[in-house]
Amino acid sequence: MIDRLRLTLDSNTDGSGRLVAEASSGGFSGVGMAWFNLSQISAFGELLANTYPLAIDGSHKLQGGIWTMETPSTLSKLKLGLQFYPIGALGVVGCRAHLTSDDQPDGVATHSAVIELRTHYEQLRNFGIAVSALAEGKVDEAVL
């Protein structure tokens, strides 16, 4: 099994879209999806393409799922999370993908996985460019 992260997008005409992430690494795999504003996805891609070095605190992330009614900026259930961070001092970049399948009628997730991939800054830059292009409808997928 190849270590990779693949993003696809089902866009709506209202400026939103369902981002689908498929990740696999070391024999583990998972799929997660969440709704985002297309501008948020595009900005995240630009951030990945243009940031060097990444912050150690893992603040380069994109998260979506079910938001709380009381505090709209707080997730009550993470359905798709992507986080990028440096590993060591030699240019290795970590990508943590938190993936949760659609909920059952009782609200319980069917499957959940957290998968870590390792890459380098040049591949991350190319991935960021592809993520922005995905949000703009210029490509069908972004693969890391």
Side-chain angles (χ1 to χ4, degrees):
M1 181 173 279
I2 298 173
D3 290 2
R4 76 178 196 158
L5 171 64
R6 178 178 178 259
L7 302 180
T8 56
L9 182 65
D10 298 322
S11 299
N12 281 342
T13 57
D14 67 355
S16 68
R18 184 179 68 165
L19 187 64
V20 178
E22 302 171 36
S24 61
S25 179
F28 292 90
S29 64
V31 177
M33 58 194 74
W35 289 90
F36 294 92
N37 288 324
L38 297 179
S39 60
Q40 183 182 10
I41 297 169
S42 183
F44 182 67
E46 290 175 19
L47 180 71
L48 294 180
N50 298 311
T51 302
Y52 177 85
L54 293 174
I56 295 171
D57 65 2
S59 59
H60 295 80
K61 57 186 170 185
L62 179 68
Q63 295 180 320
I66 299 172
W67 300 90
T68 61
M69 297 297 270
E70 302 80 27
T71 314
S73 62
T74 303
L75 276 171
S76 66
K77 187 176 290 188
L78 179 64
K79 298 190 64 75
L80 172 59
L82 302 175
Q83 182 177 18
F84 293 85
Y85 44 88
I87 298 175
L90 299 177
V92 177
V93 175
C95 168
R96 182 169 293 122
H98 182 109
L99 311 164
T100 301
S101 66
D102 285 334
D103 293 339
Q104 296 297 315
D106 60 4
V108 177
T110 307
H111 300 95
S112 182
V114 178
I115 296 172
E116 183 178 65
L117 302 161
R118 291 181 181 218
T119 190
H120 293 88
Y121 279 100
E122 184 61 23
Q123 289 84 3
L124 182 62
R125 186 182 75 77
N126 292 333
F127 179 68
I129 292 168
V131 169
S132 292
L134 180 67
E136 296 164 7
K138 296 177 181 176
V139 298
D140 294 330
E141 65 180 11
V143 178
L144 177 64

